[in-house]
Amino acid sequence: MYYGYRCYTKEDKPLGWLYTFSCDTEYAWTNKDLHLCKRWKTERGAKKHFEHYNNRWQFKSQGGYLKIEVMPEFSESKSSAKSNQQRWNEANRDVLYQAQENYNQKRPIMSFRPKTELLEWLEEERRSDEDGEPESDAALLNRKLEKLKNLEQQGFSDNESRRIKKFNY
């Protein structure tokens, strides 16, 4: 069961169900292709955006209005259930593969297995965000690498590493 916007004229004549196209800028109604229509699983969801759509429909229909109503049952075939993005992706697989390849070349995925001692140290260094959630592995490593880069740029690494090597031998 879905809730949708039923379109009415200013003379209270029901037209059909609201759908939009051209990136939500054009408004129209239909009684046939209900899978194209604006619909929500709950009445609360439909009410959330009602004012916006109603105002736009009133302008488009020159005085008409919308009502939130339960939509008639409809079945979506597999092809109509796919989004425009999914249909485009299927039709242009070669373009997608090339774009993914270009992305991977510019941003290679690095993989390594740190020692147990390093993993324990990283766990101790892990921070929590405002919600109390622990920092992700990627965020932790990026933060530590950024700190190392900054220290190296200050000349800390070269001088410090020479001193450490001198004392470790």
Side-chain angles (χ1 to χ4, degrees), residues 159-169:
N159 296 336
E160 217 37 44
S161 63
R162 285 188 198 119
R163 260 191 259 147
I164 291 172
K165 285 181 186 174
K166 191 187 287 184
F167 289 115
N168 285 341
Y169 290 107

Side-chain angles (χ1 to χ4, degrees), residues 1-12:
M1 180 171 81
Y2 288 102
Y3 292 88
Y5 299 141
R6 187 80 182 261
C7 302
Y8 290 88
T9 64
K10 61 182 173 184
E11 293 84 27
D12 299 327

Side-chain angles (χ1 to χ4, degrees), residues 52-67:
H52 169 73
Y53 287 108
N54 192 39
N55 290 338
R56 300 286 301 265
W57 178 252
Q58 285 178 347
F59 178 77
K60 166 86 174 157
S61 65
Q62 300 173 348
Y65 62 94
L66 298 176
K67 264 179 138 177

Side-chain angles (χ1 to χ4, degrees), residues 125-140:
E125 294 292 316
R126 191 178 301 272
R127 295 180 182 167
S128 297
D129 62 7
E130 300 84 36
D131 301 330
E133 293 292 318
E135 188 175 29
S136 71
D137 291 343
L140 172 64

Side-chain angles (χ1 to χ4, degrees), residues 4-9 14-40 52-62 64-67 71:
Y5 299 141
R6 187 80 182 261
C7 302
Y8 290 88
T9 64
L15 297 171
W17 299 92
L18 179 76
Y19 75 95
T20 63
F21 55 99
S22 295
C23 300
D24 261 2
T25 58
E26 293 293 324
Y27 285 54
W29 57 270
T30 185
N31 285 317
K32 294 180 182 177
D33 299 321
L34 298 183
H35 63 276
L36 297 174
C37 297
K38 293 290 184 183
R39 62 184 187 276
W40 289 264
H52 169 73
Y53 287 108
N54 192 39
N55 290 338
R56 300 286 301 265
W57 178 252
Q58 285 178 347
F59 178 77
K60 166 86 174 157
S61 65
Q62 300 173 348
Y65 62 94
L66 298 176
K67 264 179 138 177
M71 294 181 76

